[in-house]
């Protein structure tokens, strides 16, 4: 069965860095675009980034451009999110999600359990 | 960026009620609209894509409709497991954006 498992969350000081990982299993990872979505405590969902199935294209929300990098290692079935220059407002649960590969735009059909990132001094 | 506005932000309903949630886009997004359900402490669950296509395994009491700028999610007969927060998401252009959510509570 399709499964995503995130790891790498924790507490980091403002200005610090963290790398999240998302291990995929149960589906052909190399053929699906992948997303990161976050949710601040008590708030709604916020899409962060997407990476093309072959790693050749990425898109980001403006607030993380130049600070976060989405990447993937298709040989390891793993998605990453490198987060630099972290700010308090980046505090959230971070979810990785698989794309449906639908002809009508993106859609996230499988989600991980999430990993908490807390940016605090 | 395309803004997505959901209404109401919360509602109270009883088991068996018909529930409708509305999502409005700040510009036309054709049918590039998804719906998700989220329960407290859990990851979102994917319900509907392309405005009206039901994801495999989702009960048929859920349905979606609309196009361009106005969309609806309808639960035809509310069940106990449906009490949750529902989010719409546009996939017409990046950045993908979600609505603020609609919390469905027990009356």
């Amino acid at each position: 069965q399709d499964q995503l498992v995130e790891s790498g969350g924790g507490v980091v000081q403002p200005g610090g860095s963290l790398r999240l990982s998302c291990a995929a299993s149960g589906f052909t990872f190399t053929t699906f675009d992948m997303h990161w979505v976050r949710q601040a405590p008590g708030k709604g969902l916020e899409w962060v980034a997407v990476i093309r199935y072959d790693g050749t294209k990425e898109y980001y929300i403006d607030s993380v451009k130049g600070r976060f990098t989405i990447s993937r290692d298709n040989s390891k079935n793993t998605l990453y999110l490198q987060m630099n220059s972290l700010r308090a407002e980046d505090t959230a649960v971070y979810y990785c999600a698989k794309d449906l590969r639908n002809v009508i735009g993106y859609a996230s059909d499988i989600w991980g359990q999430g990993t908490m990132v807390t940016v605090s001094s | 960026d395309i803004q997505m506005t959901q209404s109401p932000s919360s509602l109270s309903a009883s088991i068996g009620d018909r529930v409708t949630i509305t999502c409005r886009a700040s510009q036309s997004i054709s049918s590039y609209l998804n719906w998700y359900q989220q329960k407290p402490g859990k990851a979102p669950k994917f319900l509907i894509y392309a405005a009206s296509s039901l994801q495999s395994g989702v009960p048929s009491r859920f349905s979606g409709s609309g196009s361009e700028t106005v969309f609806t999610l309808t639960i035809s007969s509310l069940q106990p497991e449906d009490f949750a927060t529902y989010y719409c998401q546009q996939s017409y252009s990046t950045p993908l954006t979600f609505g603020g959510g609609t919390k469905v509570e027990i009356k």
Side-chain angles (χ1 to χ4, degrees):
Chain A
Q1 109 203 28
D2 301 359
Q3 189 173 14
L4 297 169
V5 179
E6 301 97 335
S7 60
V11 180
V12 60
Q13 292 188 339
S17 298
L18 214 53
R19 188 177 84 155
L20 306 183
S21 299
C22 171
S25 60
F27 62 97
T28 307
F29 182 73
T30 56
T31 62
F32 291 94
D33 297 353
M34 295 293 295
H35 302 261
W36 286 101
V37 177
R38 67 185 180 184
Q39 187 169 35
K43 302 297 184 182
L45 300 170
E46 181 178 52
W47 175 85
V48 174
V50 63
I51 186 168
R52 186 178 157 97
Y53 65 94
D54 57 5
T56 58
K57 194 71 176 176
E58 311 119 46
Y59 298 98
Y60 300 90
I61 193 171
D62 279 354
S63 59
V64 309
K65 280 181 185 175
R67 299 189 300 124
F68 289 12
T69 302
I70 187 172
S71 63
R72 63 193 297 159
D73 186 337
N74 283 349
S75 69
K76 296 182 177 179
N77 287 353
T78 301
L79 175 73
Y80 302 101
L81 186 67
Q82 177 66 45
M83 304 185 294
N84 299 330
S85 303
L86 282 161
R87 306 167 180 168
E89 54 264 36
D90 296 318
T91 294
V93 174
Y94 284 74
Y95 296 100
C96 65
K98 167 187 164 290
D99 195 75
L100 179 64
R101 197 173 59 186
N102 172 38
V103 294
I104 307 294
Y106 292 115
S108 298
D109 63 338
I110 303 296
W111 295 65
Q113 84 287 354
T115 188
M116 183 70 204
V117 173
T118 302
V119 184
S120 174
S121 55
Chain B
D1 299 359
I2 298 173
Q3 308 303 315
M4 306 301 293
T5 304
Q6 285 183 236
S7 60
S9 56
S10 65
L11 64 89
S12 296
S14 301
I15 302 299
D17 282 354
R18 181 182 183 88
V19 169
T20 298
I21 297 168
T22 300
C23 178
R24 287 182 167 82
S26 60
Q27 66 182 72
S28 175
I29 58 170
S30 183
S31 295
Y32 289 72
L33 194 284
N34 306 315
W35 288 99
Y36 301 86
Q37 174 195 68
Q38 188 180 33
K39 296 181 179 179
K42 300 294 187 182
K45 176 186 175 183
F46 181 49
L47 297 178
I48 288 170
Y49 62 97
S52 60
S53 296
L54 200 65
Q55 172 66 349
S56 175
V58 175
S60 58
R61 63 180 179 274
F62 290 92
S63 64
S65 66
S67 65
E68 306 299 335
T69 61
V70 182
F71 302 86
T72 60
L73 172 70
T74 300
I75 309 172
S76 60
S77 178
L78 199 65
Q79 298 302 300
E81 60 268 30
D82 301 337
F83 292 96
T85 300
Y86 294 84
Y87 294 93
C88 61
Q89 178 199 39
Q90 67 80 18
S91 61
Y92 183 81
S93 64
T94 57
L96 309 183
T97 45
F98 288 92
T102 296
K103 187 174 183 179
V104 177
E105 299 175 301
I106 302 173
K107 180 183 285 184

